Amino acid sequence: MKVFYSDHFVLPLPEGHRFPMVKYSMLRERVADSGIAANGGLLVPRAVTDGEILRAHGAGFLRRVANGELDRKEVRRIGFPWSERMVERSRRASGGTVGACLAALEEGFAANLAGGTHHAFADRGEGFCVFNDSAIAARAMQARRHVERVVVIDTDVHQGNGTAAILRGDPSIFTFSIHGEKNFPFNKEESDLDVPLPDGADDAAFLDALEAGLERVFDAADADLAIYLAGADPFEGDRLGRLSVSKAALAERDRMVLGGCRERGIPVAVTMAGGYAREISHTVDIHLQSIKTASELHDKQKGSPIG
Ligand SMILES: [Zn+2]
């Protein structure tokens, strides 16, 4: 399976910064060791162009990001200090989702070991997100006439507020978010379907709600392509997530989303989104599990292309 990585475009952070940057290189190493992306499948994405970014973001925002002209409030909201390398990394991370979408359209499944930056709005970044890779990639696929309809399946514990806001009023892209009701962001946006869960929601509560949600999503979205945000932060050991979902249930989540797409012949690009476990290895385990499940389905359907 094709897997895109951009962790070597390092975003310089001050010591003690709470963002777990190291998870990306750890994950890439484990993907490489696993053989999931053997035979040259582990790929460096190109950077998304201004033209691609502008399908999802305002020109003023892009200019302020690119030129380092964000004001202090805007920088604080993003949560990363501005640097040239931050801009390059953000472009590459979105490029990974574009690459994964293209590969998925050919092979059914592909993954980006970054992305899922769903708190980025048209005119501002937020919560460690600069550019909204889902919106950029979905519209890139539409602009190239590869697809008409896209569904964004966001299972990160935080609501996909930026994605919902950017894509509101766009009937060609269906946005679904299942998240912790009391988790950041505290002012939620309106997705096409939101499923908020109470604090402490356990495996059964999470999976039941997901199953019911997915049924509605697949019916309503009628999509030619799915972008799946496989956030690791609904995990019970997550520092930021307020849910209580086990690793086994998150693996079941992956099977439900990815298997559901496969049954309906919808290609899927998997992206990572958040994950802030007290022990980073748990976050990496959960992300690796998502990639493995996609890879198994990818290998199963070799020779029987979908779509
Ligand atoms: Zn999150």
Side-chain angles (χ1 to χ4, degrees):
M1 184 173 77
K2 292 204 170 84
V3 177
F4 294 83
Y5 70 98
S6 45
D7 61 88
H8 57 304
F9 298 97
V10 175
L11 190 164
L13 293 179
E15 206 170 316
H17 193 283
R18 68 194 179 115
F19 189 78
M21 195 58 69
V22 71
K23 92 170 182 184
Y24 296 100
S25 54
M26 288 172 70
L27 179 60
R28 192 235 319 135
E29 281 162 20
R30 294 211 30 212
V31 168
D33 290 347
S34 73
I36 288 169
N39 306 318
L42 204 48
L43 300 163
V44 178
R46 67 171 174 80
V48 286
T49 63
D50 287 356
E52 287 171 316
I53 293 169
L54 289 170
R55 293 195 192 102
H57 295 278
F61 175 63
L62 171 57
R63 192 182 57 245
R64 292 198 301 284
V65 172
N67 300 341
E69 293 164 357
L70 297 166
D71 66 31
R72 281 170 60 178
K73 203 173 134 200
E74 289 181 295
V75 170
R76 202 176 331 121
R77 197 171 229 161
I78 289 171
F80 296 141
W82 185 90
S83 62
E84 294 270 359
R85 284 189 285 174
M86 182 198 86
V87 180
E88 181 65 10
R89 185 187 167 87
S90 301
R91 285 185 189 268
R92 297 279 181 167
S94 285
T97 302
V98 171
C101 284
L102 285 170
L105 288 169
E106 284 191 358
E107 301 181 5
F109 297 89
N112 177 12
L113 303 183
T117 44
H118 56 170
H119 302 310
F121 284 73
D123 61 354
R124 67 173 191 271
E126 189 174 292
F128 306 137
C129 302
V130 181
F131 299 133
N132 194 303
D133 62 307
S134 297
I136 289 170
R139 289 196 163 149
M141 294 307 106
Q142 291 177 321
R144 294 169 180 222
R145 305 250 182 277
H146 290 322
V147 300
E148 287 179 10
R149 302 182 57 81
V150 183
V151 61
V152 179
I153 300 173
D154 186 340
T155 67
D156 187 276
V157 82
H158 304 99
Q159 195 213 20
N161 58 341
T163 314
I166 291 171
L167 298 174
R168 179 173 310 145
D170 180 344
S172 69
I173 305 176
F174 191 96
T175 56
F176 169 55
S177 178
I178 179 168
H179 51 261
E181 184 170 19
K182 298 231 170 95
N183 263 115
F184 174 92
F186 306 110
N187 296 312
K188 306 285 192 281
E189 298 290 330
E190 199 180 319
S191 312
D192 290 304
L193 179 61
D194 285 297
V195 176
L197 296 170
D199 282 1
D202 62 7
D203 290 359
F206 179 79
L207 292 175
D208 286 353
L210 177 65
E211 186 174 31
L214 282 177
E215 218 163 282
R216 290 177 60 189
V217 168
F218 285 128
D219 282 347
D222 190 23
D224 313 310
L225 170 69
I227 297 174
Y228 169 36
L229 283 73
D233 48 15
F235 177 51
E236 56 199 352
D238 196 87
R239 284 182 293 121
L240 304 185
R242 302 177 69 99
L243 304 186
S244 193
V245 182
S246 68
K247 272 188 199 176
L250 289 169
E252 181 59 24
R253 166 197 69 170
D254 296 331
R255 286 189 288 272
M256 284 167 60
V257 173
L258 296 167
C261 287
R262 180 167 186 253
E263 271 171 34
R264 291 163 182 83
I266 305 169
V268 198
V270 185
T271 66
M272 296 300 96
Y276 313 90
R278 282 171 202 95
E279 282 180 53
I280 267 182
S281 62
H282 289 310
T283 295
V284 175
D285 288 346
I286 294 162
H287 284 320
L288 184 68
Q289 183 60 48
S290 304
I291 313 259
K292 270 190 177 157
T293 302
S295 155
E296 283 160 17
L297 290 168
H298 169 274
D299 293 348
K300 245 191 223 170
Q301 68 174 28
K302 251 190 188 170
S304 59
I306 59 171

